[in-house]
Amino acid sequence: MKITTAVAQKQGANLTIESAELDSPKANEVLVEIKATGICHTDAAGRDYATTPYPVALGHEGAGIVKEVGSGVSTVKPGDHVVLSFSYCGHCENCLTGNPASCIHFNELNAGGRNFDGTHRIHSEGGKDISTFFGQSSFSTYSVVDEHGVTKVPSDVDISLLGPLGCGFQTGAGTVLNALKPKFGSSIAIFGTGAVGLAAMMAAKMIGMDHIIAIDIHDNRLELAKELGATETINSQKRNPEDVVKELLQTGVEYSIDTTGVSPVIKQAVHVLKPSGTCALIGLAGDVTFNIQGEVIGEAKQIIGIIEGDAIPQLFIPKLVNYYKKGLFPFDRLVKYYKFADINQAFEDSADGSVIKPIVKIGN
């Protein structure tokens, strides 16, 4: 079928909205009419850093309505409202033990550009294969997605709002609720108050943590963080977070999260921990140098990497929707909508920090 999709033709170039051909779903796949898709930093990485072979149709926070299902699909049916999330095989040891975000085949399925069977579903009008992104390429009018990447959600919430639950909000909230599992009354420092950091903050508030410390360089975001659950805020351009945390809690915090991927900030996220504390790294990052004895082992600190909030999307995303409906997870306050034609402006607004979570409306 003919679709319209946003494609990165070469490294660093703006996306171009193009006509393309989409194959019919195979036995294990679902055809989804996309209504809206969130923009995440991972999309910018796919555009700029050749994480997936070019040309690539981007988009990995899609939401829409099921139009057709393959013969082997049993979890959704036409007419269902769904959120699209990351791809996982469902068969490896990690998947079978409840950790699909650590799927052994995660990188090839989400960044390799091909579907499960090694073929492509999207093709240019001239017949050239176009890489799929995160198994969905949801900056498109329609997507073909493996059943593992589809989560049914209630139809009484605007489907155009829900796409970011498939990655950014799932990552932030899941890091707290699924991975760290902090105790009631404990303390956490969250570096970066973008979509992921604020989702983590709202999750920390739900648990009832005593100190939820937000660190950022933008005062307007720190003000919003206060409204969403931060008990203390630090502008790291004005004050050293390590000094402020020590003033608040002499021994440091029990948990920290870095969402920035900035090497000096990652070191700060480890330094603010109390002995035996845990730092979760969830931002895209490069090299970081530690004195292992002095900064880590000497105080029994733990540094862990978390992918997609260690979530099982089909179980976790409906819970987040339920929390939203109860007023406990008001992620709609982070959102700004864009027309499909304005997708590159949405990327720019996300990059400069003026918008926390852009959502591109694609369908009617």
Side-chain angles (χ1 to χ4, degrees), residues 187-190 201 204-205 209-214 229-233:
S187 57
I188 191 168
I190 299 172
M201 211 162 294
K205 181 181 179 181
M209 300 188 75
D210 194 24
H211 289 276
I212 305 169
I213 305 168
T231 57
E232 296 91 9
T233 61

Side-chain angles (χ1 to χ4, degrees), residues 339-363:
K339 296 178 182 178
F340 197 7
D342 297 327
I343 189 169
N344 288 305
Q345 184 62 54
F347 268 85
E348 291 181 19
D349 293 348
S350 177
D352 68 21
S354 59
V355 176
I356 294 175
K357 176 54 71 172
I359 295 179
V360 178
K361 285 196 171 185
I362 295 171

Side-chain angles (χ1 to χ4, degrees), residues 74-124:
S74 60
T75 57
V76 294
K77 64 184 185 303
D80 285 345
H81 287 207
V82 293
V83 168
L84 310 184
S85 193
F86 59 89
S87 288
Y88 60 93
C89 75
H91 306 298
C92 71
E93 182 178 358
N94 287 348
C95 287
L96 291 174
T97 53
N99 302 106
S102 300
C103 174
I104 291 171
H105 303 288
F106 185 94
N107 289 327
E108 64 190 83
L109 292 175
N110 290 282
R114 299 172 182 268
N115 284 53
F116 273 56
D117 62 0
T119 63
H120 293 81
R121 298 291 173 274
I122 309 172
H123 316 278
S124 71

Side-chain angles (χ1 to χ4, degrees), residues 9-62:
Q9 288 287 353
K10 60 182 181 179
Q11 188 170 3
N14 278 346
L15 304 189
T16 55
I17 297 177
E18 306 177 11
S19 294
E21 291 288 335
L22 180 68
D23 292 343
S24 298
K26 296 192 176 182
N28 58 311
E29 295 174 338
V30 179
L31 175 66
V32 179
E33 181 182 6
I34 302 297
K35 294 299 183 181
T37 301
I39 289 179
C40 173
H41 181 61
T42 304
D43 291 302
R47 179 193 63 187
D48 297 340
Y49 301 121
T51 58
T52 304
Y54 300 108
V56 53
L58 293 174
H60 72 292
E61 290 186 341

